[in-house]
Amino acid sequence: MKQKNNFKKGFVFKSYEVLNQSPFEKLFEIFKELITHTSGDFDEAIDWLRQLDKEYELTTAEYTIDDFIEDLKTKGYIKEDIDPDGNSGMAITAKTERAIRQQALDHIFGKIKRSGQGNHKSKSPGLGDEHTGDFRNYHFGDALDKVSMTESLRNAQINHGIGNFKLTEDDLVVEETLHKSQMSTVLMIDISHSMILYGEDRITPAKKVAMALAELITTRYPKDTLDIIVFGNDAWQIQIKDLPYLKVGPYHTNTVAGLQLAMDLLRRKRNTNKQIFMITDGKPSCLRLPDGQYYKDSNGLNPYITNKCYAMAQQARKLHIPITTFMIAQDQYLMQFVQEFTRANQGKAFYTGLKGLGEMIFEDYETNRKKRIKG
C-alpha cells in the first residue's frame, strides 16, 4: 500500500533577518539614520545610539559603543574637529556623507518600480545611442558603427544568394536609436520654521529626498545636473555635501526668492530639458522689497505676495521650465493657492504628507526623464 504524502506546499513567513551582518555594520545602519536626524551632530547621534542600546541591547560585551566609535575613526567615517570656539570634538567625514546619500537612495528608490535603463529618451528617433530595435535602410553619412551587420548580411544573402554572395550598399541597414537628452533640475527645499512645528519633523524627509536624488543623478545619470536651494526669508544655494547638516531656521517663506534663484541657475544651463521641484509645507508669507526691507504677512494668503508667486510661475512657463510642487500641508486654502500657482505654470502639484514623499519625487523625476522639451 502506497504511503500517503501529507506534506503540502506553501509559504512560511517570519521576521526578516540580515544575513552575515557584522556588529559594526548593524550599528552603522542605525548611526547613519541618527546622524541625518541630528543634522550632522555626532555627539547627539551617539547619545541617541547609547539610549537605543540600553533599550534594545544593540551591543554585547565583546563589541560596545566605544568599540564602534573606534571603528568609525579607523575606517575614516569620523575625524577630530575643532569648532570656532576652540573646542575639540568629532565630526563626520565626506565618506560618511556619501554613505548617508547612498542609504537614502536605497531606502527611497529601492521601494519603487524601476523604469528602463538609460538616460533621458526623446520621443523622436535619430542620431543617438539608445537602441530601439527598429531598422531602416542605410543612408550616406550614417556612422558605420550604427550598421547592423547581422541584418545587413541577412539582406545580402536574400538579395544575392549564397552562390554569388556579395554585400552592397543597398543591403546595409542601420538600427534606429534615440537621442539621450540631459536634464537640469533645481530642487527647492522650504526651511521656514513651520517645517518643524506641530510636533512633526518635516525637514528630515526633505533632506533624505535631496540626498537620494543627488546620489541617483551623480551615479545613474551623470550627464544631468542637480542644484539644491533652500528658502526662508531669502534663498540661497547649498552644496550636496551640506545636506546632512541642513537645519530649519526662524524664517518666513519667501517662495518668490526661491523661484528667482532657481530660474537664474537654470538660465545658465545649456540643456533643453529643465525643471524645478519645490518641497514646501506652508504658504508664501514673505517678500524682499527693492529697498531691501522684508514684507511679511503670516495671516492667511496675502494677495500682494501670492500675485508675485503667480507671476514667477508664468515667467517660468515662458522659459519652458515646468514646476512640480510637493505640498506637505493639506489645508484647503493652501491647496487652492497651489492649484492657482500650478495653473499659471502649467506644471504639476502633489498634495502629500511625509509618507511617500520620496517615492512621488522619484517617480516624477523618472517620468520627466523620458520627455524632451524642444526649444
Side-chain angles (χ1 to χ4, degrees):
M1 181 177 178
K2 187 176 181 181
Q3 186 175 3
K4 186 176 181 181
N5 190 349
N6 293 321
F7 293 103
K8 297 182 179 180
K9 294 182 179 180
F11 298 96
V12 177
F13 295 94
K14 62 180 181 178
S15 299
Y16 172 73
E17 296 179 1
V18 179
L19 300 177
N20 301 322
Q21 191 176 41
S22 69
F24 173 82
E25 292 169 338
K26 177 182 176 181
L27 292 177
F28 191 50
E29 290 297 307
I30 302 171
F31 172 77
K32 286 184 288 186
E33 189 73 22
L34 294 176
I35 205 72
T36 302
H37 281 273
T38 63
S39 297
D41 189 322
F42 173 79
D43 292 333
E44 185 179 0
I46 290 298
D47 286 342
W48 284 16
L49 187 60
R50 292 187 189 278
Q51 292 177 26
L52 290 173
D53 183 28
K54 290 180 180 178
E55 185 172 354
Y56 298 104
E57 298 181 351
L58 303 176
T59 64
T60 63
E62 290 76 24
Y63 194 86
T64 66
I65 298 294
D66 291 331
D67 294 325
F68 173 67
I69 295 174
E70 286 301 315
D71 276 349
L72 288 174
K73 293 179 185 178
T74 303
K75 297 176 184 294
Y77 288 109
I78 58 174
K79 63 180 179 180
E80 293 282 348
D81 185 57
I82 300 178
D83 64 23
D85 297 327
N87 301 317
S88 62
M90 303 303 299
I92 64 175
T93 64
K95 184 177 181 180
T96 305
E97 294 164 3
R98 288 192 299 271
I100 295 171
R101 293 197 299 269
Q102 182 60 55
Q103 177 171 275
L105 177 62
D106 293 340
H107 285 178
I108 295 174
F109 195 58
K111 295 178 183 178
I112 62 178
K113 182 179 180 180
R114 306 200 179 197
S115 61
Q117 294 181 352
N119 293 345
H120 311 278
K121 303 175 185 177
S122 64
K123 295 181 180 178
S124 303
L127 295 178
D129 49 7
E130 186 74 16
H131 297 283
T132 66
D134 297 325
F135 299 95
R136 62 172 174 81
N137 293 332
Y138 172 85
H139 299 301
F140 178 78
D142 286 335
L144 292 179
D145 61 345
K146 301 300 181 184
V147 173
S148 173
M149 292 307 300
T150 302
E151 292 297 319
S152 298
L153 290 172
R154 177 175 175 272
N155 284 346
Q157 180 180 349
I158 294 173
N159 294 336
H160 310 292
I162 297 296
N164 188 29
F165 182 81
K166 60 181 177 179
L167 182 66
T168 67
E169 182 177 336
D170 292 336
D171 301 320
L172 299 178
V173 294
V174 297
E175 184 176 2
E176 291 279 24
T177 56
L178 290 174
H179 175 69
K180 287 185 178 179
S181 57
Q182 296 173 323
M183 176 70 77
S184 289
T185 302
V186 172
L187 177 62
M188 295 173 51
I189 302 176
D190 184 351
I191 58 168
S192 61
H193 187 55
S194 60
M195 290 290 277
I196 55 171
L197 284 180
Y198 316 116
E200 189 172 50
D201 176 10
R202 297 168 173 173
I203 191 63
T204 299
K207 286 194 297 185
K208 287 183 178 180
V209 167
M211 288 189 290
L213 195 58
E215 189 68 11
L216 174 77
I217 290 175
T218 55
T219 56
R220 184 170 175 179
Y221 307 116
K223 293 182 180 180
D224 288 6
T225 66
L226 174 67
D227 292 289
I228 302 171
I229 64 177
V230 294
F231 62 105
N233 291 349
D234 295 290
W236 60 95
Q237 187 176 6
I238 63 172
Q239 302 299 314
I240 292 174
K241 64 182 180 62
D242 300 327
L243 281 169
Y245 315 102
L246 186 61
K247 296 180 180 179
V248 167
Y251 307 123
H252 287 71
T253 307
N254 191 344
T255 306
V256 169
L259 293 170
Q260 286 175 332
L261 179 55
M263 283 189 280
D264 286 344
L265 291 171
L266 289 174
R267 282 192 188 98
R268 305 171 195 169
K269 308 297 183 184
R270 297 182 179 179
N271 300 343
T272 302
N273 299 311
K274 302 174 182 180
Q275 64 182 353
I276 295 173
F277 286 167
M278 179 168 64
I279 305 174
T280 182
D281 75 321
K283 59 184 176 295
S285 59
C286 177
L287 288 175
R288 191 163 189 174
L289 302 175
D291 62 1
Q293 297 293 317
Y294 291 99
Y295 179 85
K296 302 176 182 177
D297 186 357
S298 299
N299 299 316
L301 288 173
N302 184 300
Y304 180 68
I305 297 176
T306 55
N307 286 338
K308 292 287 187 181
C309 292
Y310 300 148
M312 293 300 298
Q314 292 171 345
Q315 184 178 343
R317 175 185 170 187
K318 292 178 181 178
L319 294 172
H320 304 291
I321 301 174
I323 302 171
T324 304
T325 304
F326 297 89
M327 192 72 174
I328 297 174
Q330 297 186 6
D331 304 73
Q332 189 60 41
Y333 78 105
L334 292 180
M335 293 174 66
Q336 291 175 355
F337 159 72
V338 174
Q339 289 171 0
E340 188 63 33
F341 177 84
T342 303
R343 189 177 300 113
N345 176 256
Q346 290 192 351
K348 288 184 289 185
F350 294 92
Y351 307 94
T352 175
L354 298 178
K355 186 177 181 180
L357 173 65
E359 288 87 339
M360 283 187 178
I361 290 181
F362 273 69
E363 287 176 346
D364 199 57
Y365 182 79
E366 288 285 285
T367 299
N368 292 349
R369 287 176 52 244
K370 301 172 187 177
K371 298 177 181 178
R372 180 170 176 80
I373 305 169
K374 297 182 178 180

